[in-house]
Amino acid sequence: MEYRAHLETNTAFRYHWLVWQLTGIIQPRYFSTSLYRLYTVLVNILVTFLFPLTFVINVFFSKNLQQLCENLIITLCDITANLKFLNVFLVRKELQQIKIILECLDKRLNTEEEYRQLKRAIRTAQLSFCIFLVISTTGTTLSLFMVLYSEERSLLFPAWYGLDWQKNDLAYAVCFTYQLVALVVQAIQNVANDSYPPAYLIILTSHMRNLELRVRSVGLSPANNKENMFLSEKEQQLDFKKFNDCIEDFIQINRLYDLIQKILSKACLAQFICTALVQCVVGLHILYLLDESDDYGAQILSFIFFLAVTMEVFIICYFGHYMSAQSLALIDAFYECGWIPQTLAFRRNLIITLMRTQRYAILYAGSYIPVDLPTFLLLMKYAYSTFTLLLRFK
C-alpha cells in the first residue's frame, strides 16, 4: 500500500539521535572522525565529568546540615543524569540494532488501523521529548531568575570552583559563564535521557498492538469479520502464510523487547535509587530545616527536584505497565485466533508459539525490580513511611 513508504518508526527518535550527536555519543554522517573525537573528548571532560565534580566537592564544604541537604539533592540528581548518559554511550550498538528491527516491522503494516495506531505512537513519543524539553527549559529559566533577583551574588547552583567569585568580578564572570554553558548542555542531555525510555516503550507497545490485530484477524472472513468454520484449501494456505508472518513478527518483537530491556535496565535502576535518596534528603530538609531557614529559593529548588525525580519514575512506570498489559493482550490474541478449521501444520506452529508466550513481557530495573505502576506505588509508600519516621523523631 502507498502509506507504507510514508511511515518510519525511527522518526519517533530523531530528536534523541540529534541530541546524542550534539553531545558526542553518536558520530553524524559525513563528519570527520578525528574532529568529532576531539569534540567528544572536550565536551564530555568539560561538562559530563567536571561539572558534576564541582557539585561533589562542594558537598564536602557544606557548613551545616541545611547546606549539606541542598548540595546532596543537586549532586545526586546530576550524578544520576550523567550515569544515564554514560549508559546511552555503552548501549549505542543496541540502539543501532533497534533501528534495523523497527525498519523491518514497519514493512508489516497491512491495514489503515495499524497505520493510525503506529502514527499515533510516533507522535506520542515525540511529544514526550517536547514535554521534557519544556520542563528542562522552565527549570533553567527559573534558576536564571533566582540569580538575577538574588540580593547577594550567587551562581545558578551551589558549586565549588576554587575561586573567590563572590569578591572578584572576573572570577564570577568565568564561573557563571561556565556553569550556564554546562547547565544548558546537561539540560539537553537530560531531556534525551529522561524521554528516550518512555519513547521506546511507547513504540514497542504500538508494534505489539499491531501484531495483536494481525493475529486476531487470522481465520476471520474479510466480508463480515467473523470466524469462518469452513475454509477451502486455498484459504487455509493463505491463513497459514499469514500466521507464519505473524510468528516472524513475534520473534522480531521479542528481539526488540530484549534490546530495550538491555538499554533501559541500568538507567531505570539508577533512576529508582536516585528518586529514593532524593525523597529522603528532601524529607529531612523539609522536617528539620524548613522553619529555620529563610532561603526560599533553596526551598523551592528542593521541591522542584523532588517533583522532577518522582515524575520521571512515574512516567517510566506508567508506560512500562502499559507495555506489559499489551503483552498480555498479544498472548490472548494467539489463543483466540481462528485456529479450529486450520491445517495440522498451522496448529503445530500455534502450539510451539503458545509455549513461547507463557512469559509475558515486563521491564525490569537492574534485572530485579519490575518497572510498573505497583512498583511506583511501593516506592511512594516507602517515601511516606520514611517521612513519617522522620516526623516522629523530630
Side-chain angles (χ1 to χ4, degrees), residues 334-374:
F334 279 103
Y335 281 94
E336 297 172 2
C337 70
W339 58 270
I340 296 178
Q342 304 296 341
T343 62
L344 180 62
F346 183 102
R347 298 178 186 182
R348 186 184 299 112
N349 288 352
L350 176 61
I351 292 174
I352 296 174
T353 305
L354 291 177
M355 294 175 61
R356 175 61 183 84
T357 60
Q358 295 305 304
R359 295 178 58 187
Y360 71 99
I362 181 171
L363 182 67
Y364 286 95
S367 301
Y368 296 104
I369 305 174
V371 181
D372 52 13
L373 289 179

Side-chain angles (χ1 to χ4, degrees), residues 37-246:
R37 287 180 179 176
L38 178 62
Y39 168 78
T40 299
V41 170
L42 289 176
V43 168
N44 287 282
I45 287 180
L46 293 177
V47 177
T48 308
F49 177 72
L50 291 181
F51 189 61
L53 184 62
T54 61
F55 295 143
V56 174
I57 297 176
N58 195 54
V59 170
F60 295 97
F61 286 92
S62 302
K63 298 179 181 179
N64 49 51
L65 184 59
Q66 177 187 346
Q67 287 189 3
L68 178 62
C69 290
E70 295 169 2
N71 294 337
L72 273 177
I73 293 171
I74 298 173
T75 303
L76 288 172
C77 292
D78 194 66
I79 289 178
T80 303
N82 282 279
L83 288 176
K84 291 191 291 185
F85 181 72
L86 176 62
N87 178 70
V88 176
F89 174 77
L90 296 176
V91 299
R92 61 192 186 280
K93 293 183 179 179
E94 285 75 12
L95 293 173
Q96 295 285 358
Q97 294 176 18
I98 290 177
K99 289 182 67 175
I100 298 174
I101 294 177
L102 291 178
E103 290 174 356
C104 294
L105 292 175
D106 289 341
K107 301 176 182 178
R108 297 293 194 179
L109 294 178
N110 291 322
T111 64
E112 188 68 24
E113 184 179 0
E114 294 178 22
Y115 169 78
R116 290 197 302 267
Q117 165 73 23
L118 190 55
K119 189 174 182 179
R120 185 164 54 249
I122 293 173
R123 290 177 177 175
T124 304
Q126 293 176 344
L127 180 62
S128 68
F129 181 92
C130 296
I131 291 174
F132 278 104
L133 180 62
V134 171
I135 295 174
S136 181
T137 304
T138 303
T140 305
T141 304
L142 181 60
S143 300
L144 285 172
F145 277 115
M146 290 173 60
V147 172
L148 292 176
Y149 289 98
S150 176
E151 297 179 356
E152 300 178 354
R153 177 179 288 179
S154 61
L155 296 172
L156 296 170
F157 294 105
W160 179 89
Y161 290 102
L163 300 174
D164 189 9
W165 53 266
Q166 292 181 332
K167 298 180 180 179
N168 189 299
D169 294 337
L170 179 60
Y172 177 72
V174 171
C175 293
F176 181 83
T177 302
Y178 168 75
Q179 195 171 74
L180 178 61
V181 174
L183 179 61
V184 171
V185 175
Q186 287 242 298
I188 296 174
Q189 290 178 349
N190 292 340
V191 170
N193 291 341
D194 297 334
S195 61
Y196 85 85
Y200 277 103
L201 289 177
I202 291 169
I203 296 301
L204 173 60
T205 304
S206 179
H207 279 293
M208 284 182 175
R209 172 58 179 165
N210 283 345
L211 179 56
E212 178 196 351
L213 295 175
R214 292 196 288 273
V215 172
R216 290 186 184 277
S217 66
V218 174
L220 298 182
S221 173
N224 53 16
N225 202 32
K226 293 183 179 180
E227 185 174 357
N228 190 353
M229 300 303 296
F230 303 97
L231 298 177
S232 64
E233 183 177 352
K234 182 178 180 181
E235 289 174 330
Q236 288 178 335
Q237 292 177 354
L238 290 175
D239 283 342
F240 184 62
K241 181 181 184 305
K242 185 176 181 180
F243 186 73
N244 286 341
D245 290 340
C246 290

Side-chain angles (χ1 to χ4, degrees), residues 7-33:
L7 187 65
E8 295 182 5
T9 307
N10 286 307
T11 56
F13 314 107
R14 59 183 178 185
Y15 300 135
H16 303 87
W17 284 86
L18 178 60
V19 170
W20 293 332
Q21 290 174 354
L22 292 175
T23 51
I25 288 184
I26 299 173
Q27 181 178 340
R29 293 182 178 179
Y30 312 113
F31 201 93
S32 173
T33 302

